[in-house]
């Protein structure tokens, strides 16, 4: 394989720490914070897939709206009272607070140093995310990463979410670097899998010590933090 | 809406009781049976979606293989030792036993009576399932339902899983009854949602007392067992 000339990152869970959400959820729903954060994340991803597979994407809605819908579902799943007393039970306030937290996620501790390291090595850097442009813009600014990213690519123009090939194709179209010379980095194993199928070089950041998907393909490298991106490049 | 002339059922979880799997899983992995059954089911569905959205279905594999792969993943997720000691740890035996149970699922208690009731009312009956033809045939025979189903429709010919519209289109193509005059019945809320988007009349059998998906569309009816199918038809 050729040495990568560009590195594209998934955003939520990969550059931005979505797990911190569990702390606020725990305050709001004592004893349920971790379960709520997991269910919300799973449902958010499920909604992107339902939209992408149903009627060729005809029901597309921006990721922010799907994230809101997924949180509404999650609150109703965990707290049945919310199904009938959404307003009276104060659930709209909890929903708003959690969405506010989601809008201003922190980067992981190593995020800045790694992006800086890519700059020093002369590589192009970018995000390729299911997020819509507005929420991505806010996330990038909140984490102070604007100056370190050459491209912030949303799937919105194709109105299909990853893992649709039309979504992955936006990366090379924006950077001018073919997928085979681009390292795609994600902490989501399904994202690393599908990016490998698409033709990227791939690094799965296995933050949770999970097994990889059992679908017959492995990413080119498995790491445990974004620092493994630099290790991959220096060895390539 | 016109009175339905045909009824199509999802198979796994709707006609066939997949929840009984948790009992065997609990024997094999004490304290983890319910979690294992849930994770297996979620991963199985996730794999159908990854296959369907990635590279336009180029990586299609039969549902039976995806079910096996999902179980391998689940065992490795719940029992980290299985990642390195699959053979030595006896995990292949547990995997085989659980797959054997999946092959011979029971129908729900009301399944036969409801299908018989549809026959008495002169409606066409069928299954429209992600399952491949061989596993569907075995499931139908194991549950003793052959004589009560006019059509057993697998998505296999289109090599895409539900919720792809190509999969839902197989129903009217087989029965000759348009989707708008067909009642589609599923215990999976995502399936009831996407079938509604596609144009079926829909009944969601909410066996788990879950909230419905928050994507702006509701099924035409929500019930709690297959008996609600007859109630829907008699009121239509």
């Amino acid at each position: 394989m050729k040495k990568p000339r560009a590195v594209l990152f998934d955003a939520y869970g990969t550059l931005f720490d979505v797990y911190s959400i569990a702390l606020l959820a725990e305050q709001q729903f004592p004893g349920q914070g971790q379960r709520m954060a997991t269910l919300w994340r799973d449902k958010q991803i499920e909604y992107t897939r339902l939209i992408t597979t149903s009627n060729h994407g005809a029901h597309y809605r921006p990721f922010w709206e799907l994230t809101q819908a997924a949180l509404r579902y999650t609150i109703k799943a965990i707290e049945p009272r919310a199904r009938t007393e959404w307003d009276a039970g104060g659930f709209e306030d909890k929903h708003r607070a959690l969405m506010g937290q989601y809008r201003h996620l922190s980067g992981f501790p190593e995020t800045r140093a790694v992006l800086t390291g890519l700059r020093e090595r002369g590589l192009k850097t970018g995000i390729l995310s299911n997020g819509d442009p507005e929420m991505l813009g806010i996330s990038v600014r909140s984490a102070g990463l604007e100056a370190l990213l050459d491209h912030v690519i949303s799937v919105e123009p194709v109105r299909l979410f990853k893992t649709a090939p039309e979504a992955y194709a936006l990366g090379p179209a924006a950077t001018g670097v073919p997928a085979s010379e681009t390292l795609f980095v994600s902490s989501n194993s399904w994202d690393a899998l599908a990016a490998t199928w698409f033709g990227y070089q791939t690094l799965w950041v296995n933050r949770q010590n999970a097994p990889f998907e059992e679908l017959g393909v492995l990413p080119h490298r498995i790491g445990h933090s974004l620092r493994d991106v630099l290790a991959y490049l220096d060895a390539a």
Side-chain angles (χ1 to χ4, degrees), chain A residues 1-18:
Chain A
M1 285 185 302
K2 290 191 179 175
K3 197 173 176 82
R5 293 189 285 131
V7 180
L8 293 176
F9 295 87
D10 170 60
Y12 299 101
T14 301
L15 291 183
F16 305 124
D17 184 358
V18 294

Side-chain angles (χ1 to χ4, degrees), chain A residues 51-86:
Chain A
I51 293 284
T52 301
T53 52
S54 301
N55 290 351
H56 306 291
H59 312 283
Y60 178 83
R61 292 201 242 164
F63 194 62
W64 182 252
E65 288 184 26
L66 295 186
T67 304
Q68 288 179 309
L71 180 55
R72 275 198 303 277
Y73 179 95
T74 299
I75 292 172
K76 291 178 182 178
I78 283 178
E79 182 55 83
R81 202 163 58 86
R83 300 178 199 177
T84 52
E85 300 174 36
W86 182 263

Side-chain angles (χ1 to χ4, degrees), chain A residues 34-210:
Chain A
Q34 190 54 57
R35 188 176 155 226
M36 172 160 273
T38 300
L39 184 54
W40 182 12
R41 175 74 177 150
D42 288 349
K43 186 57 71 173
Q44 175 198 48
I45 295 169
E46 181 180 10
Y47 281 177
T48 64
R49 293 175 181 161
L50 283 177
I51 293 284
T52 301
T53 52
S54 301
N55 290 351
H56 306 291
H59 312 283
Y60 178 83
R61 292 201 242 164
F63 194 62
W64 182 252
E65 288 184 26
L66 295 186
T67 304
Q68 288 179 309
L71 180 55
R72 275 198 303 277
Y73 179 95
T74 299
I75 292 172
K76 291 178 182 178
I78 283 178
E79 182 55 83
R81 202 163 58 86
R83 300 178 199 177
T84 52
E85 300 174 36
W86 182 263
D87 289 326
F91 294 102
E92 184 62 30
D93 291 343
K94 294 175 193 288
H95 184 274
R96 190 180 303 111
L98 283 163
M99 290 303 300
Q101 173 110 340
Y102 200 95
R103 197 181 277 279
H104 300 287
L105 297 167
S106 306
F108 285 100
E110 75 275 19
T111 298
R112 287 190 65 83
V114 171
L115 290 175
T116 303
L118 295 177
R119 271 287 155 81
E120 291 167 357
R121 286 165 178 76
L123 277 85
K124 292 186 182 182
T125 59
I127 283 175
L128 173 52
S129 168
N130 279 336
D132 47 272
E134 185 189 351
M135 72 185 283
L136 279 173
I138 293 169
S139 295
V140 167
R141 284 194 300 278
S142 290
L145 302 179
E146 315 92 299
L148 296 171
L149 291 163
D150 297 310
H151 302 276
V152 178
I153 307 163
S154 162
V155 301
E156 182 126 310
V158 295
R159 297 174 70 84
L160 294 169
F161 295 100
K162 296 186 281 186
T163 61
E166 294 86 348
Y168 287 116
L170 292 168
T175 63
V177 179
S180 61
E181 295 175 47
T182 301
L183 179 64
F184 183 85
V185 181
S186 182
S187 64
N188 297 300
S189 55
W190 51 268
D191 197 14
L193 169 76
T196 309
W197 274 338
F198 183 81
Y200 285 101
Q201 295 183 44
T202 51
L203 169 65
W204 175 41
V205 180
N206 182 12
R207 293 191 192 276
Q208 314 273 341
N209 193 26

